[in-house]
Structures are given as C-alpha cells and as structure tokens.
Amino acid sequence: MITKEDIRKVAEPKIKELNGFFVDVKVNTNNVITLCFDRMDGVKIDHCSEISRHIEQHFDRDFEDYELTVCSAGLDKPFLVDQQYHKYYGKEVGVLLKNGKRKKGVILSYKNDILTLEVLKRKKGSKKLSIIEQVEIPKVDIKETKLKINFK
C-alpha cells in the first residue's frame, strides 16, 4: 500500500519547484489518494496536472493500483499549515478557539506561532460606533481557522 509519507516524499520537491507549499495528503485503504497544496499566487489546473504526472512517474500502476486527485487547499477548508496564514495576510478569517469562543478579524501578522488579528468591536453602550483592536492568539489556542469569503 502507498503511504502518505511515500506521496509526500515524491510530491513535495515538485510542489516547491512550482513555488508552492504542501498542505495535506490523505490515503484511504483502497489507495484513493488526495493531495492538497497551495501557492501564494494561486493554484491553476496546470499546476495540479504537473504534480499528478510527477507522482504517477514514481508509482507503477501495474504493481499497485491507485486513484490520485491533486487539488488546491480550497477556500472553504480550515487552515492546516502556517503558510496559509501568510498567504491570506490582510484577509478576514474566522477563528474557533479550543475553549469554544470565536474571533473574526483581518490577519495583521503570523509570527512565532502567534496570530494577530484586527478585530472590529462595538463600543460599550452603543450599537453603531465601533472600535478596532488588535487581538493576539497563540497557535496552541486555535482549534480551527477559516477564510471568510465575502461576496460584495
């Protein structure tokens, strides 16, 4: 059976060659493989095809049958690697903390495993006036971070 480590070892150099970064790989018991990666300036179908061909050159289908899907990390999926925080600098995200609380704000920075958000809050006693504050969230307190997709 092909392992996650086998796929990562083969795919990661090609992903880096395409100025991308590895996000995740899943391999189920039926050898259905899904590899997700991303690039700072976006993933195109040609990038996925190139990585797929590269992987297929390293695994013999006559020896071991498998199904392979290579895709981008997806805008609606939770962040899985630190590079995603850097990619979405200046964008709005929703953060679910391990204590169940939620924060929503714009990414100002991600350094030394600390996420800094610009958060808009209502001023006490007012429904309309808002104040902006910076909130620092240690990575160890984060359960999930997702990009907020705004259609304006």
Side-chain angles (χ1 to χ4, degrees), residues 12-140:
E12 203 158 27
K14 188 65 173 177
I15 291 169
K16 286 180 181 177
E17 180 184 309
L18 296 171
N19 296 318
F21 53 91
F22 179 89
V23 175
D24 192 25
V25 64
K26 292 182 171 73
V27 180
N28 76 11
T29 55
N30 295 322
N31 264 353
V32 175
I33 303 162
T34 306
L35 180 135
C36 297
F37 77 104
D38 211 340
R39 297 175 71 245
M40 295 305 266
D41 42 348
V43 173
K44 296 180 180 173
I45 190 83
D46 292 344
H47 300 127
C48 296
S49 298
E50 198 169 333
I51 293 167
S52 182
R53 282 191 300 275
H54 179 77
I55 292 169
E56 288 171 350
Q57 290 172 354
H58 288 82
F59 297 98
D60 184 358
R61 286 189 186 270
D62 292 333
F63 177 72
E64 187 146 29
D65 191 32
Y66 62 90
E67 178 183 321
L68 176 63
T69 301
V70 177
C71 58
S72 70
L75 293 175
D76 61 335
K77 304 285 187 232
F79 291 6
L80 297 175
V81 296
D82 291 349
Q83 292 97 320
Q84 290 173 295
Y85 290 97
H86 298 290
K87 177 178 180 172
Y88 294 109
Y89 170 82
K91 303 291 185 191
E92 187 176 30
V93 294
V95 180
L96 174 60
L97 302 174
K98 289 181 180 174
N99 66 10
K101 292 184 180 178
R102 295 184 181 272
K103 299 282 184 189
K104 181 172 79 170
V106 174
I107 297 176
L108 294 179
S109 70
Y110 184 79
K111 294 179 196 164
N112 303 319
D113 290 338
I114 303 286
L115 173 63
T116 304
L117 296 179
E118 180 180 78
V119 178
L120 195 59
K121 289 190 160 192
R122 293 186 199 281
K123 196 172 184 178
K124 287 185 180 182
S126 175
K127 292 183 181 181
K128 292 185 180 181
L129 296 176
S130 298
I131 56 172
I132 296 174
E133 68 179 34
Q134 288 185 15
V135 175
E136 290 187 346
I137 307 169
K139 182 179 179 179
V140 296

